[in-house]
Amino acid sequence: MAAGVAAWLPFARAAAIGWMPVANLPMPIAPTEKNKRQDELIILNVSGRRFQTWRNTLDRYPDTLLGSSEKEFFYNEETKEYFFDRDPDVFRSVLNFYRTGKLHYPRYECISSYDEELAFFGIVPEIIGDCCYEEYKDRKRENVERLMDDQEDNKDAKLPNMTFRETMWRAFENPHTSTMALVFYYVTGFFIAVSVITNVVETVPCGSAPNQKEVPCGERYTVAFFCMDTACVMIFTVEYLMRLYAAPNRYRFMRSVMSIIDVVAILPYYIGLVMTDNEDVSGAFVTLRVFRVFRIFKFSRHSQGLRILGYTLKSCASELGFLLFSLTMAIIIFATVMFYAEKGSSSSKFTSIPASFWYTIVTMTTLGYGDMVPKTIAGKIFGSICSLSGVLVIALPVPVIVSNFSRIYHQNQRADKRRAQKMQKARLARIRLSKTGSSNAFLHSKRNGLFNEALELTGNTEEEKCLSKSTSLIESQHHHLLHCLEKTTNHEFVDEQYYQQSYLEAGLQNYPSQSPSLSSQDGVTGTCCTRRSKKRHTPLPNASAPAHMQPLTHTHTHQQGLQELSTIHIQPLSTSRSSLNMRIDEPAPLNCQSSQITTAIISIPTPPVTTPEGDAHLPAGPTHQNVVKVSAL
Amino acid sequence: MGALMVIFSLQPKQRRKTTDSVEDELELSAVRHRPEGLEQLEAQTRFSRKELQILYRGFKNECPSGVVNEDTFKDIYAQFFPQGDASTYAHFLFNAFDTDHNGSVSFEDFVMGLSILLRGTVQEKLIWAFNLYDINKDGYITKEEMLDIMKAIYDMMGKCTYPVLKEETPRQHVEVFFQKMDKNKDGVVTIDEFIDCCQNDENIMRSMHLFENVL
């Protein structure tokens, strides 16, 4: 429940009078306001700067330092104020959170000092409002990266007990760790360069015999080039196999971009070996040689800048896509226009629309080869519009790509995206949790409420006090309101899981409404067991929700089940157990104080039972879910 | 491409015009409503000065403009019932609070309503409840009106209830209600039947006093 609407709670409760004439059941008692305090101003002295606010404002968030009794530790008796020896500037944001329900992150504040203050005051950073959350996350990420970089420099100290394989992998990834690695690094770099240069020189026309036409060097010195090629490919193959051996996760290594480049670089050679001089496929073989040029990409292992460029292009994929799309659109439009404009003129080169594509591309990129020019006036007009708009279209996405590159280069960023996505999921999960927290809190407090009322009956006041402290007054009033609604409609709030389970059973079982007796206890365990056996197959949600139903580890046979029930630690209740579904048709004239029939779901806290079988099943606890329904009379 | 750019540049101007008119509307409708003085409200309602202060602070926090419109009202009310859909019932409540039917609830309307509900006599409370149920304010509660109200209340429970909510549950509940309230079995419940019946019902009488110490 949001903080601000706590002030509207009296209104919501008053509006509940609309349900009263409709309800068939008696309403539960309202929570009495034990030691109701008049709302008072409290003074918070933070390093000399005094802040004042209503006590109720701070009580809105009872799970923080200021909202709970933890602040009593900071109470100064002489000056009658709460003194905190913390930063007053950050405290402003913290206090505003209580006042408005929104937490803001001031941009001028250092991220780690802000985090420390939030941690001190017990506030979770995930609830920073959307207006400031991006900034906060960006700064946090930067900080983390900076810390990581600092750590990286210390990481190079060799860890003891590294296997040979791990040493090799480390040598491959960080060449400056050992001399051997450095040597290997430079040797492979040299051979990549040699291989690339060989490919290039192969095609240069060397000197020729006087009566023959010029031949490329590759055909003249075939053997030499072949030996060079073989040597390079062997080195590359050995390198690839060694990396494959050393990789901690071979499958992932094989899928990585660098390894694919390696494979593509050496494959043509082997395919060439396999295929003999078959005339039909020699054409295809020649094409395969083109792939040898991919060896140049192996340099990206040696160059950080190249990697960053590749990463930039990958991260700007959407801008590049937009560029491509808009260019395509423009090309088609202008090609069509030019074709129809030039259709009339004789000896026009614009023979078809696809033929005009070439003109449009050349014009829009301001190349202007001049092999196709418009001759008609209309053609020239449209041609000029085409060239002007070409400049604009290309100029638009380029700055985005440039700024991206500079940002990435500046931060020297790794592929942290995966980690960021995990954090995003965690944040959404936490926010969702706090939102469902209110409904879970009601169910949770119903259990506590049950204990409360029962304790009132048995007159055990100490335990009652400590249990009632857990919910603030506002919460208890809110829960009373929800309770009244339940009474009006004669249905109860349950959580998602229980609802699905009972939905399944809706057609199957008929709950008898009986007076408290042994047979009803049978009924209880009977349905417990059947429910449990059904439950075995339904997957449980993530048990991280704090107020979720605790699993009951329970053993099995009917008689033992009965025994279990009696030994289950709900001693304080000491009430008789009646059937699961109490449908009270007669408005029994009950004495409000002593008897209040409430059906509630209680869950037994873990570790629950005392029998050894229960312990044996404790590790399997989280896979079980069992609910015992009792009612207090 | 240049032609396209020209076309695109024309568009925003149009849009700007419409946003301007929307902003104008907002300006006009952003009524800054100030309530009557504290003394007058004290005289008209049964709240003390301090209580009025507390109420106003909470009211103004959520509605800085001084009036609540129906959407804000629904939002606020929905926050108390996270599991269900409270908007229909909030709509009926809004109509019950908005006594002059001008589409917004000012602080005076709010405080008058609360005064009746929390500090009024049982008779006044019952009349208020009758007013709530009588959707078209014709002095009779018909079965259809009651069914609407009942469905709205059951909607607030949401889906995850025990036992599972069935389609005919609200209808059955309405039948029970009419059996109890409609003395002359003419299919409608008049205000006198309503008040008589409620005053004879012990449960209802007791629950009327439930919220007395709310503020």
Side-chain angles (χ1 to χ4, degrees):
Chain A
M1 198 172 62
V5 293
W8 287 66
L9 189 59
F11 153 71
R13 301 181 72 212
I17 286 195
W19 311 331
M20 302 301 151
V22 170
N24 297 323
L25 306 171
M27 292 290 138
I29 339 171
T32 53
E33 295 157 8
K34 309 178 182 76
N35 36 291
K36 172 177 181 176
R37 292 178 296 231
Q38 279 294 358
D39 203 4
E40 48 172 10
L41 279 177
I42 64 175
I43 305 176
L44 302 162
N45 184 347
V46 182
S47 300
R49 207 193 295 182
R50 280 183 178 71
F51 296 87
Q52 290 185 326
T53 182
W54 299 108
R55 189 176 282 275
N56 275 354
T57 313
L58 295 182
D59 285 340
R60 287 179 191 162
Y61 296 98
D63 51 353
T64 57
L65 185 150
L66 290 173
S68 65
S69 55
E70 199 183 339
K71 63 177 183 282
E72 302 303 323
F73 284 101
F74 298 92
Y75 188 66
N76 190 343
E77 290 294 341
E78 298 111 48
T79 52
K80 297 263 186 273
E81 59 188 22
Y82 294 87
F83 180 74
F84 297 96
D85 202 5
R86 310 290 300 189
D87 186 358
D89 289 326
V90 180
F91 189 75
R92 264 185 54 233
S93 312
V94 169
L95 196 54
N96 274 336
F97 167 61
Y98 287 90
R99 291 184 182 132
T100 61
K102 299 195 196 86
L103 182 62
H104 294 284
Y105 169 61
R107 276 160 206 244
Y108 54 81
E109 205 57 62
C110 166
I111 185 78
S112 31
S113 83
Y114 190 72
D115 266 343
E116 274 173 27
E117 296 299 312
L118 284 188
F120 179 82
F121 287 104
I123 297 176
V124 180
E126 265 71 15
I127 46 180
I128 291 181
D130 285 333
C131 43
C132 299
Y133 191 69
E134 281 228 25
E135 172 82 23
Y136 173 78
K137 268 293 165 207
D138 283 341
R139 296 274 289 267
K140 191 130 194 221
R141 190 165 23 107
E142 275 181 42
N143 204 32
V144 165
E145 282 168 5
R146 202 174 312 134
L147 289 174
M148 253 176 34
D149 284 343
D150 290 339
Q151 273 180 13
E152 276 288 317
D153 296 336
N154 304 334
K155 209 174 73 170
D156 290 334
K158 187 166 176 178
L159 306 162
N161 309 337
M162 273 175 61
T163 68
F164 175 63
R165 194 174 148 190
E166 284 173 2
T167 332
M168 252 174 79
W169 181 247
R170 226 175 105 243
F172 280 136
E173 293 298 296
N174 305 323
H176 46 273
T177 48
S178 73
T179 344
M180 268 303 293
L182 214 56
V183 165
F184 184 76
Y185 178 75
Y186 282 124
V187 162
T188 42
F190 173 71
F191 272 99
I192 295 174
V194 161
S195 163
V196 167
I197 291 174
T198 316
N199 286 344
V200 165
V201 168
E202 228 177 18
T203 59
V204 170
C206 285
S208 58
N211 54 341
Q212 283 176 333
K213 61 174 176 35
E214 292 214 342
V215 290
C217 285
E219 288 181 20
R220 194 144 169 213
Y221 303 103
T222 322
V223 174
F225 278 106
F226 182 72
C227 290
M228 198 87 84
D229 207 20
T230 314
C232 293
V233 166
M234 277 187 34
I235 303 256
F236 295 153
T237 318
V238 163
E239 182 207 348
Y240 180 70
L241 289 174
M242 274 166 58
R243 277 182 201 265
L244 189 61
Y245 166 70
N249 186 349
R250 293 209 176 110
Y251 183 59
R252 196 162 61 100
F253 171 74
M254 278 176 43
R255 282 187 312 176
S256 70
V257 175
M258 291 311 303
S259 97
I260 292 178
I261 291 177
D262 289 337
V263 168
V264 167
I266 60 180
L267 258 171
Y269 177 79
Y270 289 111
I271 296 180
L273 280 185
V274 165
M275 289 196 315
T276 53
D277 282 313
N278 202 339
E279 285 303 315
D280 303 328
V281 295
S282 67
F285 174 64
V286 166
T287 332
L288 263 181
R289 283 175 141 210
V290 167
F291 284 99
R292 288 189 305 175
V293 79
F294 277 89
R295 286 175 198 169
I296 206 170
F297 283 116
K298 287 164 70 76
F299 266 129
S300 55
R301 272 211 187 94
H302 295 69
S303 161
Q304 173 80 321
L306 212 58
R307 275 206 298 271
I308 290 177
L309 183 62
Y311 185 63
T312 309
L313 291 177
K314 195 164 60 138
S315 68
C316 301
S318 63
E319 278 85 28
L320 287 174
F322 167 68
L323 175 62
L324 215 61
F325 177 68
S326 58
L327 264 181
T328 314
M329 240 177 49
I331 287 171
I332 295 178
I333 291 175
F334 278 106
T336 316
V337 165
M338 290 306 294
F339 171 70
Y340 283 112
E342 286 288 304
K343 204 158 177 206
S345 92
S346 56
S347 75
S348 152
K349 291 237 173 74
F350 296 81
T351 51
S352 66
I353 294 186
S356 316
F357 280 167
W358 175 243
Y359 167 76
T360 321
I361 293 175
V362 165
T363 313
M364 282 187 90
T365 52
T366 69
L367 274 176
Y369 287 135
D371 54 349
M372 282 166 86
V373 284
K375 293 201 174 58
T376 61
I377 298 198
K380 287 186 180 162
I381 292 175
F382 286 117
S384 39
I385 297 177
C386 176
S387 58
L388 288 174
S389 49
V391 171
L392 286 171
V393 166
I394 292 181
L396 284 175
V398 167
V400 177
I401 298 176
V402 164
S403 72
N404 249 352
F405 181 78
S406 81
R407 175 180 67 85
I408 294 173
Y409 188 78
H410 220 318
Q411 286 180 5
N412 209 3
Q413 198 179 30
R414 293 111 191 276
D416 265 330
K417 278 183 171 185
R418 214 178 288 158
R419 210 186 302 163
Q421 271 182 9
K422 271 195 207 153
M423 281 179 151
Q424 175 74 352
K425 277 188 208 159
R427 179 199 178 204
L428 291 176
R430 269 172 132 164
I431 288 182
R432 216 183 310 128
L433 217 67
S434 65
K435 279 196 182 142
T436 60
S438 57
S439 53
N440 278 337
F442 173 58
L443 299 168
H444 186 68
S445 78
K446 271 214 297 202
R447 285 176 255 135
N448 283 345
L450 179 63
F451 282 127
N452 252 344
E453 285 149 11
L455 288 171
E456 273 168 38
L457 300 178
T458 59
N460 200 344
T461 48
E462 300 133 18
E463 293 186 43
E464 164 198 316
K465 270 200 204 123
C466 69
L467 276 177
S468 66
K469 259 186 212 151
S470 57
T471 55
S472 70
L473 183 63
I474 289 183
E475 269 194 58
S476 59
Q477 287 178 345
H478 185 211
H479 295 156
H480 174 247
L481 185 67
L482 293 174
H483 218 150
C484 287
L485 184 59
E486 286 185 340
K487 285 286 162 192
T488 311
T489 56
N490 201 16
H491 287 67
E492 285 174 29
F493 288 108
V494 296
D495 67 350
E496 183 78 34
Q497 213 181 329
Y498 191 69
Y499 162 70
Q500 283 170 357
Q501 169 197 316
S502 66
Y503 192 70
L504 289 172
E505 292 172 0
L508 298 172
Q509 301 209 6
N510 237 341
Y511 300 103
S513 52
Q514 294 170 356
S515 57
S517 66
L518 202 60
S519 60
S520 70
Q521 279 184 325
D522 272 346
V524 168
T525 53
T527 48
C528 261
C529 293
T530 50
R531 205 176 294 139
R532 189 175 10 99
S533 59
K534 276 199 185 69
K535 246 326 188 174
R536 222 181 278 273
H537 301 290
T538 54
L540 275 182
N542 195 358
S544 61
H548 217 71
M549 307 254 205
Q550 311 279 348
L552 165 66
T553 61
H554 200 104
T555 54
H556 327 285
T557 66
H558 232 66
Q559 287 79 11
Q560 269 185 325
L562 268 179
Q563 199 179 345
E564 293 295 328
L565 270 182
S566 60
T567 59
I568 283 170
H569 179 59
I570 42 174
Q571 250 75 355
L573 274 187
S574 62
T575 54
S576 61
R577 300 177 194 110
S578 68
S579 65
L580 295 170
N581 193 10
M582 293 282 284
R583 195 167 278 281
I584 305 170
D585 294 315
E586 75 287 341
L590 303 166
N591 190 355
C592 265
Q593 182 59 304
S594 61
S595 46
Q596 179 146 338
I597 302 180
T598 51
T599 53
I601 303 169
I602 67 171
S603 70
I604 321 297
T606 53
V609 293
T610 54
T611 63
E613 289 114 317
D615 288 333
H617 278 271
L618 222 65
T623 65
H624 274 254
Q625 164 112 5
N626 238 317
V627 159
V628 175
K629 263 195 105 179
V630 290
S631 68
L633 205 72
Chain B
M1 202 60 205
L4 285 170
M5 303 282 297
V6 171
I7 294 172
F8 280 136
S9 69
L10 281 177
Q11 286 258 7
K13 278 210 202 103
Q14 276 185 340
R15 234 176 282 127
R16 227 176 294 131
K17 267 201 212 129
T18 53
T19 49
D20 275 342
S21 65
V22 166
E23 273 162 33
D24 288 334
E25 273 181 29
L26 283 177
E27 285 267 81
L28 292 171
S29 70
V31 174
R32 298 277 183 271
H33 181 94
R34 279 205 184 80
E36 311 166 5
L38 209 47
E39 290 80 14
Q40 281 168 293
L41 281 179
E42 227 184 323
Q44 286 170 356
T45 66
R46 299 193 187 96
F47 289 121
S48 73
R49 229 181 140 81
K50 254 194 155 326
E51 290 166 341
L52 284 171
Q53 283 180 336
I54 296 176
L55 279 174
Y56 188 67
R57 266 188 258 132
F59 186 85
K60 184 103 177 153
N61 224 358
E62 275 306 299
C63 319
S65 61
V67 292
V68 199
N69 58 3
E70 188 159 344
D71 291 326
T72 322
F73 196 85
K74 284 185 178 167
D75 278 337
I76 294 173
Y77 202 66
Q79 303 225 19
F80 293 107
F81 301 97
Q83 284 199 330
D85 173 27
S87 52
T88 334
Y89 190 69
H91 168 75
F92 294 132
L93 269 184
F94 187 80
N95 287 340
F97 268 91
D98 186 16
T99 39
D100 46 1
H101 302 289
N102 60 352
S104 65
V105 169
S106 66
F107 184 63
E108 289 94 339
D109 297 333
F110 180 68
V111 134
M112 305 272 215
L114 273 190
S115 161
I116 297 177
L117 288 174
L118 297 178
R119 303 284 159 89
T121 64
V122 175
Q123 183 97 345
E124 288 173 349
K125 290 183 194 176
L126 288 174
I127 295 177
W128 195 92
F130 185 86
N131 223 355
L132 175 69
Y133 297 149
D134 186 12
I135 299 177
N136 55 359
K137 315 280 179 240
D138 61 353
Y140 300 106
I141 305 180
T142 62
K143 273 197 183 165
E144 286 74 30
E145 289 175 337
M146 205 57 219
L147 189 59
D148 284 337
I149 301 262
M150 201 62 77
K151 279 205 198 130
I153 295 180
Y154 274 90
D155 278 342
M156 281 198 285
M157 290 293 295
K159 196 180 56 135
C160 300
T161 59
Y162 179 82
V164 181
L165 267 181
K166 301 193 188 58
E167 270 298 313
E168 62 272 7
T169 319
R171 200 176 294 276
Q172 286 172 354
H173 206 146
V174 171
E175 291 299 326
V176 170
F177 179 79
F178 262 76
Q179 268 179 1
K180 222 178 10 165
M181 298 278 166
D182 191 9
K183 287 289 184 292
N184 56 358
K185 306 289 174 210
D186 57 354
V188 292
V189 176
T190 63
I191 189 158
D192 301 310
E193 288 177 340
F194 183 74
I195 294 181
D196 278 332
C197 191
C198 287
Q199 280 178 332
N200 293 333
D201 189 329
E202 230 191 273
N203 270 341
I204 297 180
M205 280 296 107
R206 205 179 308 120
S207 45
M208 282 289 151
H209 298 288
L210 205 56
F211 295 106
E212 250 155 32
N213 58 347
V214 165
L215 204 59

